[in-house]
Amino acid sequence: MNTTAFAQRHIGPREEDQNRMLQTIGVDSLDQLIYETVPDDIRLKKDLNLDEAMSEQEYLTHIHELSKRNKTYKTYIGLGYHPTILPAVIQRNILENPGWYTAYTPYQAEIAQGRLEALLNFQTMVTDLTGMELANASLLDESTAAAEAMGLLFAVRSRDQKKANVNKFFVSEHILPQTLSLLETRSNPIGIELVVGNEDTFDFSSEFYGALLQYPGKDGQITDIKTFIAKANDNDIKVAVAADILSLVKLEAPGKFGADVVVGTTQRFGVPMGYGGPHAAFFATKEMYKRDIPGRIIGVTKDMNGNRALRMALQTREQHIKRDKATSNICTAQVLLAVMAGMYAVYHGPKGLEFIANRVHNTAVSVANALDKLGFNQLNTAYFDTIKVKANANNIKVAAEKAGVNFYYPDADTVTISINETTTLKDANQIVSIFASVASKETIKIEALSETNMVMESLQRSSEFLTHDIFNSHHSETELMRYIKKLERKDLSLNHSMISLGSCTMKLNAAAEMLPLSSPNWGTIHPFVPADQAEGYLTVLKELEDQLTEITGFAATSLQPNSGAQGEFAGLMVIKAYHESRGDHHRNICLIPSSAHGTNPASAVMAGMKVVVTKSTEKGNIDVEDLREKAELHKDNLSCIMVTYPSTHGVYESAIKEITKIIHDNGGQVYMDGANMNAQVGLTNPGNIGADVCHLNLHKTFAIPHGGGGPGVGPICVAKQLAPFLPSNPIIKTGGTNAISAISGAPFGSSLVCLISYGYIKMLGAKGLTEATKIAILNANYIKQRLQGQFDTLYSGERGRAAHEMIVDCRAFKENGIEVSDIAKRLMDYGFHAPTVSFPVAGTLMIEPTESESKAEMDRFCDAMISIRKEIEATSKDDTNNVLKNAPHTLDMVTADEWLMPYTREQAAFPLEYVRDNKFWPTVRRVDDAYGDRNLICTCAPIEDYMDA
């Protein structure tokens, strides 16, 4: 075995195992299997044009050398991004811990209680600091959250406002520039008219349904949001506030003044800037809007024994159920980052946060006072951490950069300075000395920090926050380390067993890919630094764009979208811009197959398109004749089709080229959902198939870990005609020559985790990437064959093969009284996370093993499934007290003095011998979702508050 070849470590089955698997499947070679699986007319005729694969050691040396090309200046740019201190206990035990970063979204609550508790802490932190009643479990970034607030307030307009088509939304001119750009992107397609102005002169006209304020403003000035909100409420105008979370320690919570929504980012709670992300945004609102809140909410409920349990609340809002009626297409959160930010609050507690916020504020005041003595006019009358200084910006910039310091320069006569948690007294004196040198004066030394409060008295915080025990118990490293470990043990992650979720591609997230994320040379870079300070990042990101462009067979790539759903939206907006550039403003029809992922129709509606659904055949393929008929019917207004390939049913549809031709012949563009790209890389690609744009899930195919439900990255790759329209950023130049406005806040989205995909491609190379795809197909077909006779595979290709995933039909088991959810819960007793449940077909399991799983692990999974099949045979409709209906079985249950089940404790907990060697115990019994939704509690509340509800 070549120990330097990364592919040997990434790919699970050894060569001898592959041969045995091929025998089981009934083919002579891997090439024969691929021939029987992938239609020949879409196969690539040549290898991918990528660099030779690097060994892990070569890559780590390479990425370290590149990191040195980033200049780690002292940065005071602000604009929603701040240097911060990541406590080492959080870095080591969460960010660098596969028990946290390899978990999947907590759809199976019983084996995700640790993450769910950490997210409940996050929600409690947010509701306390914002003064709101309800918060979700994070969104993608502050700008996205602000756009979601605009959309929510539009959706909850009064009946009279809807009748009168009130559609104006006021935006303060003090809003962050990247947020304004994203609001422009999101408002126009859904018929919202943005009006940007000064809140002091706003007339509260009845033409407005809502308003957005920045608190404090982008230049640091704190405006009187209390008076504004009161006037807005009097005029039936709902108000969203974009707030700095650390400032809310000293500023009164917007919820106390009557705000309807409060949004922002938790980045400065211990999360590295990482050249723009990933960071967890927050979204808090009133409980009356709970049915319209975007993203996910973690709620409290009870399990079968009546014990406290957590789960994702109000799941009926998920996109695969509501589809084009979904309130949002943001199905990706930033769970890992939300967990880190929540733990930052747990570690520091309210007194620690007060200390940090006071030191930041006092440092800003002290610098302002020193600059005033030097003769520089500080313009902000009330501020938290950012001062606005009148000065020759160019002269200051030259002196500052010479000293290794970054300020922000909004115009030629203004410099803003945002103080942060890392700013020491020495740093403060360096700032003053830079201005002194420009003024040719002797510097003024700050000996001690001023304690003057520059927040106006009417906005100073008086309300309590973080009063729950959880924020007042774990302030030593020992205590926090043990608390984190306690939660980790409640979660099943990839470091325990295979997570075979179809469409989600839970593959190896290699340690070598992850290591650079902890490097300060990558973590401390602000997204708006000058380009010459980010040469390492720009080199990596440009090469990653080129790699993805080559892999997809397209002409250009944008890394800006920071989730798959956002990539969908970005791709559609680029198509929309292309049509409009040709004068085809009327092209607004989006064809979507009935089998499509639920975010597809939600994205199309967000992009201002009308969804027309096309039929599927009995075999699960797109009904080509129905598609042709609808494409021709709507040819004058056809914008595009959204298609997944291989299909959501796990099949390489042989008619795909015919499908793309039909769309092109009728004036449309082809959007390909990249969810199943793990079955294409190196064998075929969207460009070869005839698509015009696709998004890629870097958190699936390209090895970024799911992080318990985020971070995700969803870049779009486009054909030549669409390249000019790739998205821009208002501060850093990105995108095409006719770029659409921003899709996310940062110029390159979640740049820090893009290092993972860059490393994945660099270490696998063209040969390794192609081999990975082949083995993903081998593994899926091996499981399909092993389960044959026990479970029916619902769909397969023309030669009977699956792609990289398959759907097994569990609907017949209803005759025994068994639902697919019972199988999902029972798998927990065998030590496995369930495959994807009831998507895209109700009553089924979609299984995707990926290329990283070994034959031994797949055999354990198949043994578990076959054992469960035998358990099903022993049940009947009249027998509800059985091992499946009672699953999962907890340690408390199995060790209780009383055991009244008609099966043994051993059958419950150790159904197969292998389970004894590495038993995973679910910490709660099956949760009661309906109870939790009826009695919605989404913060850390005492148990007495809900158990008697």
Side-chain angles (χ1 to χ4, degrees), residues 641-753:
I641 187 173
M642 298 184 80
V643 61
T644 301
Y645 199 79
S647 73
T648 313
H649 293 142
V651 175
Y652 292 91
E653 297 184 45
S654 58
I656 187 63
K657 282 196 168 183
E658 183 182 0
I659 290 167
T660 58
K661 185 175 186 301
I662 289 169
I663 300 303
H664 289 147
D665 287 348
N666 288 280
Q669 296 282 284
V670 176
Y671 166 89
M672 182 171 288
D673 188 308
N676 293 340
M677 196 65 195
N678 210 48
Q680 287 195 42
V681 179
L683 298 181
T684 184
N685 63 44
N688 192 48
I689 290 165
D692 300 288
V693 56
C694 78
H695 90 269
L696 300 173
N697 296 104
L698 298 193
H699 50 284
K700 297 182 183 182
T701 308
F702 295 95
I704 293 175
H706 286 64
V713 179
I716 56 170
C717 307
V718 297
K720 184 178 180 181
Q721 75 275 12
L722 299 182
F725 307 100
L726 290 175
S728 61
N729 179 273
I731 297 174
I732 302 296
K733 178 170 171 44
T734 61
T737 52
N738 296 308
I740 62 172
S741 47
I743 291 295
S744 67
F748 301 98
S750 295
S751 300
L752 182 62
V753 290

Side-chain angles (χ1 to χ4, degrees), residues 152-172:
L152 180 144
L153 297 181
F154 190 58
V156 301
R157 289 171 297 165
S158 68
R159 183 176 298 176
D160 289 343
Q161 286 176 326
K162 288 179 180 177
K163 191 174 180 181
N165 195 29
V166 175
N167 71 336
K168 287 187 178 180
F169 187 70
F170 173 78
V171 181
S172 166

Side-chain angles (χ1 to χ4, degrees), residues 1-12 14 56 508 510 852:
M1 182 177 78
N2 180 357
T3 60
T4 65
F6 175 71
Q8 289 278 351
R9 306 303 189 186
H10 176 78
I11 291 172
R14 305 295 86 190
E56 290 188 30
L508 170 71
S852 297

Side-chain angles (χ1 to χ4, degrees), residues 92 198 336 456 476 574 579 601 626 657 661 681 798 803 926:
R92 175 60 58 89
N198 189 301
L336 184 69
M456 60 271 259
S476 75
V574 164
H579 285 310
D626 183 65
K657 282 196 168 183
K661 185 175 186 301
V681 179
E798 292 177 0
R926 200 175 303 195

Side-chain angles (χ1 to χ4, degrees), residues 392-447:
N392 184 304
N394 186 63
N395 292 346
I396 297 293
K397 186 174 189 287
V398 170
E401 291 186 0
K402 188 176 180 180
V405 170
N406 290 316
F407 302 130
Y408 183 58
Y409 311 95
D411 58 53
D413 302 310
T414 310
V415 180
T416 64
I417 305 167
S418 292
I419 302 301
N420 59 76
E421 179 189 8
T422 71
T423 309
T424 63
L425 192 61
K426 181 180 178 182
D427 296 330
N429 281 308
Q430 182 189 33
I431 293 169
V432 176
S433 70
I434 289 168
F435 280 81
S437 69
V438 171
S440 301
K441 294 182 180 180
E442 187 175 338
T443 192
I444 294 171
K445 188 169 185 182
I446 303 169
E447 300 288 352

Side-chain angles (χ1 to χ4, degrees), residues 5 9 25 32 66 79 212 234 238 295 444 458 486 542 544 552 568 656 670 696 719 922:
R9 306 303 189 186
I25 293 168
Q32 182 186 345
L66 280 177
L79 295 180
L212 175 65
D234 289 342
K238 296 179 175 64
I444 294 171
S458 63
K486 173 187 170 185
K542 176 63 170 67
L544 179 58
T552 56
E568 293 177 15
I656 187 63
V670 176
L696 300 173

Side-chain angles (χ1 to χ4, degrees), residues 63 114 123 161 213 296 298 302 370 403 439 461 464 479-480 490 492 507 537 548 610 658 736 784 831 856 891:
I63 202 71
Q123 290 177 180
Q161 286 176 326
L213 307 177
R296 304 181 183 127
I298 306 309
K302 59 184 181 179
R461 182 136 199 157
E464 290 186 311
E479 284 300 308
L480 186 67
K490 296 181 179 184
L492 193 150
K507 63 170 66 177
Y537 261 117
L548 298 177
K610 181 181 177 183
E658 183 182 0
K784 177 176 180 287
L891 181 62

Side-chain angles (χ1 to χ4, degrees), residues 3-4 23 58 81 98 104 183 189 242 250 283 429 439 500 541 598 671 680 779 797 839 842 854 908:
T3 60
T4 65
Q23 288 174 10
E58 288 171 334
Y81 302 95
Y104 183 61
L183 291 171
K250 289 190 71 69
F283 188 107
N429 281 308
S500 58
L541 297 175
Y671 166 89
Q680 287 195 42
N779 285 359
F839 175 80
S854 67

